[in-house]
Amino acid sequence: LIGSAGIVANGIHALAIDTNSRVLYIGGWFTNGVAKWDIKNQSWINITNFEVNGPVESLLLLNNNLFIGGAFSSVSGESSPRYLNIEQWNIQSLSWDTVGAGVGNANEYFDEVFTMSNDSLGNIYVGGVFFQVDSDIHAVDIAKYNTNSKKWDSVNNSLIWNEGADAICFYKDTLYIAG
Protein backbone atom coordinates (compact mmCIF):
# COMPACT_ATOMS: atom_id res chain seq x y z
CA LEU A 1 0.00 0.00 0.00
CA ILE A 2 2.42 2.68 1.15
CA GLY A 3 5.22 1.49 -1.12
CA SER A 4 3.01 1.90 -4.19
CA ALA A 5 3.08 5.68 -3.69
CA GLY A 6 6.85 5.83 -3.58
CA ILE A 7 7.07 6.11 0.19
CA VAL A 8 9.71 3.75 1.49
CA ALA A 9 8.73 1.83 4.60
CA ASN A 10 11.82 2.89 6.54
CA GLY A 11 11.10 6.53 5.68
CA ILE A 12 7.90 6.59 7.76
CA HIS A 13 8.28 8.08 11.23
CA ALA A 14 4.82 9.30 12.28
CA LEU A 15 1.10 8.67 11.84
CA ALA A 16 -2.02 10.66 12.75
CA ILE A 17 -5.64 9.74 12.01
CA ASP A 18 -8.50 12.18 11.45
CA THR A 19 -11.41 9.94 12.48
CA ASN A 20 -14.01 12.48 11.28
CA SER A 21 -12.86 12.56 7.67
CA ARG A 22 -11.29 9.08 7.81
CA VAL A 23 -7.89 10.30 6.65
CA LEU A 24 -4.49 8.96 7.67
CA TYR A 25 -1.58 11.43 7.69
CA ILE A 26 1.84 9.85 7.24
CA GLY A 27 5.02 11.73 8.14
CA GLY A 28 8.63 10.89 7.46
CA TRP A 29 11.66 11.37 5.30
CA PHE A 30 10.25 11.54 1.77
CA THR A 31 9.05 14.14 -0.74
CA ASN A 32 6.92 16.84 0.95
CA GLY A 33 7.39 15.22 4.40
CA VAL A 34 3.70 14.32 4.82
CA ALA A 35 1.36 12.18 2.74
CA LYS A 36 -2.41 11.84 3.07
CA TRP A 37 -4.35 8.57 2.65
CA ASP A 38 -8.15 8.33 2.29
CA ILE A 39 -8.99 5.31 4.45
CA LYS A 40 -12.54 4.85 3.12
CA ASN A 41 -11.71 5.07 -0.61
CA GLN A 42 -8.23 3.51 -0.29
CA SER A 43 -6.60 6.29 -2.32
CA TRP A 44 -3.98 9.01 -2.00
CA ILE A 45 -5.08 12.63 -1.58
CA ASN A 46 -2.94 15.47 -2.89
CA ILE A 47 -1.95 18.06 -0.27
CA THR A 48 -1.71 21.44 -2.02
CA ASN A 49 0.94 24.00 -0.94
CA PHE A 50 2.58 21.53 1.43
CA GLU A 51 6.28 20.79 1.70
CA VAL A 52 8.90 20.75 4.47
CA ASN A 53 12.65 20.67 3.84
CA GLY A 54 13.59 17.94 6.33
CA PRO A 55 12.34 14.83 8.06
CA VAL A 56 8.97 14.80 9.82
CA GLU A 57 9.32 12.83 13.06
CA SER A 58 6.01 13.55 14.78
CA LEU A 59 2.40 14.38 13.89
CA LEU A 60 -0.40 15.53 16.19
CA LEU A 61 -3.95 16.33 15.09
CA LEU A 62 -5.74 18.83 17.33
CA ASN A 63 -8.73 21.10 16.56
CA ASN A 64 -8.44 20.93 12.75
CA ASN A 65 -4.70 21.57 12.90
CA LEU A 66 -2.04 19.06 12.03
CA PHE A 67 1.03 19.86 14.12
CA ILE A 68 4.21 18.71 12.42
CA GLY A 69 7.47 18.19 14.29
CA GLY A 70 10.88 17.19 13.00
CA ALA A 71 14.09 18.76 11.76
CA PHE A 72 13.25 21.45 9.21
CA SER A 73 13.47 25.21 8.70
CA SER A 74 11.32 25.75 5.62
CA VAL A 75 7.72 25.07 4.66
CA SER A 76 6.42 25.31 1.11
CA GLY A 77 9.66 26.91 -0.03
CA GLU A 78 9.56 29.76 2.52
CA SER A 79 12.53 29.79 4.88
CA SER A 80 12.17 31.54 8.19
CA PRO A 81 13.20 30.97 11.81
CA ARG A 82 9.48 30.87 12.63
CA TYR A 83 9.27 27.47 10.91
CA LEU A 84 11.98 25.97 13.08
CA ASN A 85 11.30 22.23 13.64
CA ILE A 86 7.55 22.63 14.31
CA GLU A 87 4.64 23.99 12.33
CA GLN A 88 0.89 23.67 12.10
CA TRP A 89 -1.20 23.02 9.00
CA ASN A 90 -4.89 23.88 9.08
CA ILE A 91 -6.57 20.87 7.45
CA GLN A 92 -9.69 22.90 6.51
CA SER A 93 -8.21 26.11 5.09
CA LEU A 94 -5.09 24.27 3.81
CA SER A 95 -2.82 26.98 5.19
CA TRP A 96 0.24 27.23 7.42
CA ASP A 97 0.34 28.92 10.81
CA THR A 98 3.30 29.38 13.10
CA VAL A 99 3.87 27.78 16.48
CA GLY A 100 5.56 30.78 18.06
CA ALA A 101 9.16 31.09 16.88
CA GLY A 102 9.60 27.33 16.79
CA VAL A 103 11.71 24.84 18.70
CA GLY A 104 15.47 25.06 19.02
CA ASN A 105 18.04 27.54 17.81
CA ALA A 106 18.41 28.34 14.11
CA ASN A 107 22.19 28.10 14.55
CA GLU A 108 22.10 24.60 16.07
CA TYR A 109 22.12 21.81 13.51
CA PHE A 110 21.03 19.01 15.85
CA ASP A 111 17.82 20.52 17.30
CA GLU A 112 14.83 18.33 16.47
CA VAL A 113 11.28 17.53 17.60
CA PHE A 114 10.75 13.76 18.04
CA THR A 115 7.37 13.56 19.74
CA MET A 116 4.22 15.52 20.66
CA SER A 117 1.20 14.92 22.89
CA ASN A 118 -1.66 17.09 24.12
CA ASP A 119 -3.64 17.49 27.33
CA SER A 120 -7.37 18.14 27.74
CA LEU A 121 -6.80 21.93 27.92
CA GLY A 122 -5.29 22.10 24.45
CA ASN A 123 -1.67 22.38 25.55
CA ILE A 124 0.84 20.61 23.34
CA TYR A 125 3.85 18.96 24.96
CA VAL A 126 6.86 18.68 22.69
CA GLY A 127 9.85 16.39 23.21
CA GLY A 128 13.11 16.09 21.34
CA VAL A 129 16.62 17.45 21.44
CA PHE A 130 16.72 21.22 22.04
CA PHE A 131 17.63 23.86 24.62
CA GLN A 132 15.15 26.61 23.79
CA VAL A 133 11.74 27.37 22.33
CA ASP A 134 10.22 30.55 20.88
CA SER A 135 13.75 31.89 20.22
CA ASP A 136 14.50 32.84 23.85
CA ILE A 137 12.77 30.55 26.38
CA HIS A 138 15.16 28.08 28.00
CA ALA A 139 13.66 24.58 27.74
CA VAL A 140 15.70 21.37 27.84
CA ASP A 141 14.26 18.68 25.53
CA ILE A 142 10.64 19.18 26.74
CA ALA A 143 8.37 22.21 26.36
CA LYS A 144 4.69 23.14 26.44
CA TYR A 145 2.81 25.21 23.86
CA ASN A 146 -0.55 26.71 24.86
CA THR A 147 -2.71 26.70 21.72
CA ASN A 148 -5.14 29.23 23.24
CA SER A 149 -2.63 31.93 24.26
CA LYS A 150 -0.11 30.84 21.60
CA LYS A 151 2.69 30.98 24.19
CA TRP A 152 5.57 28.60 24.90
CA ASP A 153 6.78 27.59 28.36
CA SER A 154 9.40 25.24 29.78
CA VAL A 155 8.08 22.14 31.54
CA ASN A 156 10.70 21.27 34.14
CA ASN A 157 14.20 22.41 33.41
CA SER A 158 15.60 20.45 36.33
CA LEU A 159 15.21 17.39 34.11
CA ILE A 160 18.34 16.79 32.10
CA TRP A 161 18.06 14.19 29.36
CA ASN A 162 21.04 12.34 28.00
CA GLU A 163 19.85 12.03 24.41
CA GLY A 164 16.59 13.97 24.36
CA ALA A 165 12.97 12.99 24.90
CA ASP A 166 12.06 10.26 22.40
CA ALA A 167 8.42 9.67 23.35
CA ILE A 168 5.87 11.49 25.49
CA CYS A 169 2.19 11.07 26.25
CA PHE A 170 -0.21 12.87 28.53
CA TYR A 171 -2.83 11.04 30.57
CA LYS A 172 -5.09 12.88 33.03
CA ASP A 173 -2.68 15.14 34.96
CA THR A 174 0.52 13.22 34.25
CA LEU A 175 3.07 13.66 31.49
CA TYR A 176 4.94 10.41 30.74
CA ILE A 177 8.37 10.73 29.15
CA ALA A 178 10.73 8.20 27.59
CA GLY A 179 14.16 9.06 26.35
Side-chain angles (χ1 to χ4, degrees), residues 13 16 21 24 30 33 44 52-53 56 73-74 78 87 120 128 130 141 152 165 172 179:
H13 297 256
S21 63
L24 173 67
F30 47 83
W44 292 102
V52 296
N53 70 337
V56 172
S73 59
S74 169
E78 183 180 332
E87 193 57 47
S120 61
F130 51 87
D141 299 339
W152 281 100
K172 295 190 180 180

Side-chain angles (χ1 to χ4, degrees), residues 144-157:
K144 177 175 78 171
Y145 180 73
N146 184 311
T147 59
N148 298 314
S149 68
K150 300 194 180 288
K151 302 274 185 195
W152 281 100
D153 199 2
S154 60
V155 172
N156 183 349
N157 283 322

Side-chain angles (χ1 to χ4, degrees), residues 17-23 39-40 61 63-64 91-92:
I17 294 179
D18 180 351
T19 55
N20 294 328
S21 63
R22 298 181 66 186
V23 167
I39 296 169
K40 181 179 178 186
L61 193 57
N63 300 331
N64 293 318
I91 62 173
Q92 291 183 328

Side-chain angles (χ1 to χ4, degrees), residues 160-178:
I160 303 296
W161 299 97
N162 188 20
E163 294 290 327
D166 293 326
I168 59 175
C169 67
F170 200 91
Y171 179 69
K172 295 190 180 180
D173 292 335
T174 304
L175 179 64
Y176 295 91
I177 306 163

